[in-house]
Amino acid sequence: MTIRNDIIVSGVCNFRITKESEQPVMSKSYTVAVAGATGAVGVEMIKTLEKRNFPVKELKLLASARSAGKTMEFRGEKLVIEEMTEKSFKGVDIALFSAGSDISRAYRQIVVDSGAVMIDNSSAFRMEDDVPLVVPEVNPEDIARHKGVIANPNCTTAIMLVAVAPLHRAKKLRRLVASTYQAASGAGAKGMQELIEQTRQILNGEAIDPKAFAHRIAFNLIPHIDSFCDNGYTKEELKMVNESRKMLHIPDLMVSCTSVRIPALRAHSESLNMEFEEEITPAEARAILEVASGVTVVDDPEAKRYPMPVDATEKYDVLAGRIRQDISRNDKRGLEMFVSGDQLLKGAALNAVQIAEHL
């Protein structure tokens, strides 16, 4: 079976992106493979397929040889994990990949030649011209351009643009400065476990030995995610710059970012300073975001309500709040905003499944 592009006409999909409580309705069923099924994102992909009632005819769970033979549950049934090989994608319609860039590159042509569409969560293909980089709430029309591969953006980019894109469509974004506060889960299950272990070790007065991070993460902040580049930015920070330009179709968009790892288990947060071509007030921004897909406005400072990672955890929507005028300007073209989102969901697994729903 081949996934068709012609259900997308002039950028309008056969169902609309909905708020968290609503689900799209589909009539066909598909054979889906999850590559990297035992990883943190793979596990969330399986949960999301079930929670959103994706029309799965058959689910193939693929992983390395050491995980083959183990079982995972899907819709009340135990499925046996298979070792991923060149023959794994025969008869597969959609392949959700979260197995790392090297494996995605190695299997790209195999997946495409099998007739499946690869939805890849790694950074392997994001900046390739012929690979759509997609957040369905932001640029669903780009899905129609795919040639067998569709890329998920970096988790922080996805979370940010879900909240920024509706404002951009209304007032034309000109410049964006982001500071990110990224949870330990951004480094996978090993990052979360290291935070838990280090917290216990420090409270018990024991010595610690950082492995998942460059420094101790418990009771600390690390302004270093991914490797540093010659210009002083990290690759993580430059991903946000380049991916934002690609998805918003603004190649000269002014973007700058500082990425920081924080001792939270799950869900990333971001402080955003935005400059628009047109004036925009906080009230206008709230009104726009209140009806935006994938966003929940949490903005009542007097009641101590604002986005926090603990509230965004395991939620589909990105939380947006602390919306206020940028007082450093002498006009109303600048806004400040704070967002929180579950990077394992909207930043990865949920976004991939939403792309599959469009297909």
Side-chain angles (χ1 to χ4, degrees):
M1 184 183 296
T2 302
I3 302 297
R4 297 169 56 197
N5 289 333
D6 58 4
I7 62 170
I8 300 177
V9 182
S10 301
V12 179
C13 304
N14 66 328
F15 67 91
R16 66 185 178 89
I17 289 291
T18 60
K19 284 289 188 178
E20 180 170 354
S21 60
E22 300 173 299
Q23 304 296 335
V25 177
M26 292 166 279
S27 57
K28 295 182 180 180
S29 60
Y30 303 90
T31 298
V32 180
V34 177
T38 58
V41 174
V43 169
E44 292 297 336
M45 285 177 170
I46 297 165
K47 290 180 181 178
T48 304
L49 287 168
E50 180 169 348
K51 184 175 181 180
R52 292 179 70 82
N53 198 29
F54 190 86
V56 176
K57 178 172 60 179
E58 179 186 356
L59 183 62
K60 300 183 71 173
L61 305 182
L62 307 175
S64 63
R66 67 177 179 271
S67 296
K70 297 178 182 178
T71 61
M72 299 178 72
E73 191 168 298
F74 179 70
R75 293 178 180 169
E77 296 184 17
K78 290 189 180 298
L79 303 182
V80 178
I81 299 169
E82 305 174 26
E83 179 183 0
M84 186 162 61
T85 69
E86 293 184 1
K87 298 179 181 180
S88 296
F89 300 94
K90 183 179 180 180
V92 170
D93 299 311
I94 299 170
L96 306 177
F97 262 71
S98 185
S101 296
D102 291 343
I103 293 177
S104 293
R105 292 189 186 97
Y107 278 88
R108 174 183 186 170
Q109 202 58 47
I110 295 167
V111 173
V112 173
D113 288 347
S114 76
V117 177
M118 173 190 279
I119 301 174
D120 184 50
N121 194 60
S122 79
S123 61
F125 315 118
R126 289 172 184 164
M127 298 313 298
E128 292 190 7
D129 290 339
D130 64 344
V131 175
L133 180 66
V134 175
V135 171
E137 294 91 342
V138 177
N139 58 330
E141 68 279 1
D142 289 350
I143 294 174
R145 298 190 298 102
H146 84 78
K147 298 178 180 178
V149 180
I150 302 169
N152 252 8
N154 186 47
C155 52
T156 44
T157 310
I159 290 167
M160 176 176 72
L161 291 189
V162 168
V164 170
L167 303 177
H168 162 64
R169 285 191 284 268
K171 299 293 183 176
K172 298 180 182 177
L173 184 68
R174 183 170 182 267
R175 184 170 185 263
L176 175 61
V177 180
S179 297
T180 73
Y181 308 88
Q182 298 179 219
S185 53
K190 66 182 185 298
M192 299 173 73
Q193 188 59 36
E194 184 155 307
L195 172 57
I196 293 170
E197 290 179 358
Q198 285 186 5
T199 301
R200 177 185 55 79
Q201 289 167 340
I202 291 172
L203 291 175
N204 289 335
E206 301 172 7
I208 64 171
D209 181 21
K211 292 183 175 64
F213 303 107
H215 302 277
R216 143 186 163 182
I217 185 62
F219 304 101
N220 192 27
L221 300 173
I222 307 172
H224 172 194
I225 301 177
D226 212 325
S227 56
F228 282 94
C229 303
D230 291 341
N231 62 2
Y233 285 78
T234 66
K235 288 184 178 180
E236 179 82 0
E237 293 158 354
L238 294 180
K239 287 174 188 176
M240 292 188 68
V241 173
N242 296 322
E243 293 173 13
S244 296
R245 290 170 173 171
K246 181 174 180 176
M247 283 190 288
L248 293 177
H249 303 289
I250 314 175
D252 59 349
L253 179 66
M254 294 182 285
V255 187
S256 184
C257 176
T258 300
S259 294
V260 183
R261 186 73 70 192
I262 67 169
L265 272 178
R266 179 164 167 167
H268 294 347
S269 299
E270 306 174 36
S271 175
L272 307 175
N273 178 279
M274 300 162 286
E275 178 185 334
F276 297 89
E277 296 286 350
E278 303 173 25
E279 290 193 344
I280 180 171
T281 66
E284 287 178 300
R286 291 187 196 97
I288 291 167
L289 294 175
E290 286 283 3
V291 297
S293 298
V295 181
T296 295
V297 176
V298 183
D299 196 17
D300 188 358
E302 289 188 5
K304 299 181 176 62
R305 295 188 68 248
Y306 25 69
M308 295 187 294
V310 68
D311 294 329
T313 294
E314 298 186 352
K315 297 293 196 307
Y316 282 176
D317 280 3
V318 172
L319 310 183
R322 295 298 315 280
I323 301 168
R324 58 203 188 277
Q325 209 81 58
D326 180 354
I327 60 173
S328 72
R329 305 179 59 90
N330 58 7
D331 57 29
K332 292 184 178 180
R333 293 190 296 122
L335 275 185
E336 298 275 0
M337 181 167 63
F338 193 81
V339 299
S340 293
D342 190 318
Q343 91 289 350
L344 291 176
L345 289 174
K346 188 56 214 172
L350 171 64
N351 200 70
V353 173
Q354 286 177 311
I355 293 171
E357 289 170 351
H358 277 260
L359 289 172

